[in-house]
Amino acid sequence: MQNLLITGGSGFIGLNFIRYLLTETDFQGRIINFDKLTYAATPKSLTDISEHFPDRYVFIRGDIADSSRLESAFDSYCVDSVCHFAAESHVDRSITGPGEFINTNILGTYNLLEAVRERHDRIVLFHHISTDEVFGSLGAEGYFTEDTAYSPNSPYSASKASSDHLARAYHKTYGVPVKVSNCSNNYGPYQFPEKLIPLVILNALEEKPLPIYGDGKNIRDWLYVRDHCTAVWEIMKRGTIGQTYNIGGSGELENIKVVETICDLIDDISGKPTSVDSRRELVNFVEDRPGHDRRYAIDSGKLKGELGWEPEETFSSGLLKTVNWYLNNPDWVQHVRSGEYREWIERHYG
Ligand code: NAD
Ligand code: DAU
């Protein structure tokens, strides 16, 4: 892996992964970050990386749905491996506007797989990043394993499921060196504040209402983003070609519990709120998400058993780090929320 193309490297998980690879691992090669810079991207979060690693980090603004731009990136930088994060990732947006999800998540993945297939003599790995949402919803018992049948319920998860199937089919049919990982809900630094945890942290700090869909008893399995990064890197290095690995945090919680934990933590760190006695009073039950999956839970036994991976953070330790990160980075929050970041993107990459 000398010239590793990372798609979506300016989004939440992709940029955490690039930071991790370049600053904490034995990775010696060059990273080519290929990103369209949608609303979800914060390329400014990698400014220090591009300054510190001018020879090992390259940025290309490009759309994976644009096959000619993609192919020229593969050839200009002699790409020999790919880690594919780029996606439209927010379930609520897929409900109001599925088109972009089909375009990026399905057509974009197809273009990447074609580019890899055409360069099979030099490409050693296509790592496809996916989600536990492809498996659908669980009842009160049980876990998703690598053998669980796909049953996606939102346009987002259906588009990710399609891309997983394409990746698998390209391995089986053409021998493309594919690995797939399906991960549970991530949280941590640099997450765009449309997702539950950063949204609630920022609203709670500002004493604004905390929207909870339905009865708040939907369950998600939470994994600190750096633990996702360590898992992906282990799989990329030592996982078996053609295999799928589930990644989870064994951190199953009802949404209401997540929100209450954040409220209590911020009451402790920042002091009591002024408008209410406790931030828990800001909770506001709102209309449910259509097709809202009830419970996700991941069995990561294969990853742990075969590759010895373990997450480092518990939900409490990861959440504390996350809340502190948002408290200590008001400029990032302001940048992302103000629309100033769109202007910054146009100035730098327009
Ligand atoms: P994100 O929305 O924060 O970032 C997505 C990135 O992809 C952005 O930088 C965006 O500009 C880029 N992108 C979007 N469309 C593109 C296109 N057509 N061409 C090139 N770049 C494009 O997403 P995230 O939360 O970092 O998720 C990254 C990946 O991980 C996704 O594939 C997602 O399905 C998967 N995943 C996410 C989670 C989670 O909890 N966030 C959990 C499991 C799996
Ligand atoms: O499971 C992995 C998936 O996790 C990833 O594939 C997706 O890319 C990622 O966005 C995430 O999807 P979710 O829909 O689970 O994440 P979100 O943060 O949007 O919602 C988490 C839970 O909180 C979910 O049950 C819906 C609920 N929710 C969400 C928001 C934004 C609320 O109750 N209120 C809210 O305002």
Side-chain angles (χ1 to χ4, degrees):
M1 289 186 263
Q2 279 310 302
N3 289 301
L4 171 62
L5 183 93
I6 296 188
T7 68
S10 299
F12 162 53
I13 306 175
L15 79 86
N16 274 285
F17 186 64
I18 289 174
R19 301 186 79 83
Y20 170 70
L21 265 195
L22 288 174
T23 63
E24 295 190 56
T25 69
D26 55 356
F27 173 72
Q28 296 294 325
R30 174 168 65 167
I31 290 173
I32 301 102
N33 173 10
F34 188 94
D35 195 301
K36 181 181 174 183
L37 301 185
T38 69
Y39 77 95
T42 59
K44 200 179 179 183
S45 311
L46 288 169
T47 305
D48 59 328
I49 289 289
S50 61
E51 285 167 5
H52 281 108
F53 299 96
D55 301 329
R56 297 186 54 213
Y57 174 77
V58 178
F59 177 77
I60 301 174
R61 187 178 193 180
D63 183 346
I64 55 170
D66 173 354
S67 55
S68 57
R69 183 138 179 88
L70 197 54
E71 300 212 5
S72 111
F74 270 80
D75 292 335
S76 305
Y77 292 96
C78 215
V79 168
D80 60 14
S81 42
V82 178
C83 186
H84 174 33
F85 288 95
E88 287 294 335
S89 70
H90 194 44
V91 174
D92 292 333
R93 286 179 190 258
S94 82
I95 295 168
T96 52
E100 276 302 299
F101 289 71
I102 307 304
N103 220 27
T104 288
N105 300 0
I106 304 179
L107 181 63
T109 303
Y110 158 72
N111 285 338
L112 271 163
L113 286 163
E114 277 292 297
V116 172
R117 177 163 85 98
E118 283 160 15
R119 292 159 185 78
H120 63 90
D121 46 342
R122 76 162 191 257
I123 296 198
V124 294
L125 176 64
F126 179 85
H127 186 105
H128 178 62
I129 301 290
S130 193
T131 168
D132 60 359
E133 299 206 9
V134 297
F135 300 119
S137 191
L138 288 167
E141 304 285 321
Y143 295 88
F144 298 135
T145 71
E146 288 78 4
D147 297 325
T148 303
Y150 277 31
S151 183
N153 291 317
S154 70
Y156 163 70
S157 53
S159 67
K160 291 295 293 186
S162 308
S163 65
D164 293 14
H165 288 317
L166 281 173
R168 179 189 157 89
Y170 269 63
H171 170 67
K172 290 274 179 192
T173 308
Y174 305 115
V176 169
V178 168
K179 296 178 189 176
V180 179
S181 54
N182 295 82
C183 187
S184 61
N185 283 62
N186 285 214
Y187 66 100
Y190 304 104
Q191 189 166 28
F192 195 79
E194 63 185 354
K195 305 282 182 355
L196 180 71
I197 287 188
L199 175 83
V200 167
I201 292 173
L202 297 180
N203 280 14
L205 284 170
E206 294 172 0
E207 299 181 29
K208 289 182 178 164
L210 310 175
I212 298 199
Y213 300 160
D215 63 4
K217 294 196 171 153
N218 299 68
I219 292 175
R220 296 291 180 268
D221 168 33
W222 294 97
L223 182 70
Y224 189 66
V225 65
R226 186 179 173 282
D227 286 325
H228 187 184
C229 296
T230 62
V232 169
W233 184 227
E234 277 309 314
I235 298 166
M236 286 176 73
K237 282 194 304 185
R238 300 195 294 119
T240 306
I241 296 285
Q243 291 287 307
T244 289
Y245 295 85
N246 279 357
I247 310 172
S250 307
E252 269 187 69
L253 281 173
E254 287 184 348
N255 292 338
I256 181 68
K257 184 73 186 149
V258 170
V259 173
E260 287 176 352
T261 307
I262 294 172
C263 289
D264 296 348
L265 195 54
I266 296 183
D267 281 356
D268 281 351
I269 298 176
S270 295
K272 293 284 173 205
T274 52
S275 58
V276 283
D277 285 337
S278 136
R279 284 179 173 80
R280 285 186 183 216
E281 290 172 42
L282 299 168
V283 164
N284 181 27
F285 289 97
V286 297
E287 196 181 330
D288 209 353
R289 172 186 279 174
H292 196 177
D293 287 334
R294 193 63 172 170
R295 173 171 170 258
Y296 301 149
I298 281 263
D299 177 347
S300 315
K302 177 175 173 181
L303 176 60
K304 290 179 175 179
E306 278 186 22
L307 303 183
W309 173 85
E310 287 290 340
E312 275 185 17
E313 305 295 341
T314 62
F315 185 67
S316 315
S317 66
L319 189 63
L320 182 60
K321 286 186 174 175
T322 306
V323 168
N324 279 326
W325 188 87
Y326 280 92
L327 277 170
N328 294 330
N329 288 278
D331 291 350
W332 185 90
V333 172
Q334 155 69 12
H335 177 67
V336 164
R337 280 173 142 189
S338 68
E340 181 216 321
Y341 87 113
R342 292 284 359 144
E343 288 160 28
W344 189 89
I345 286 172
E346 291 318 316
R347 269 203 313 280
H348 284 76
Y349 306 108

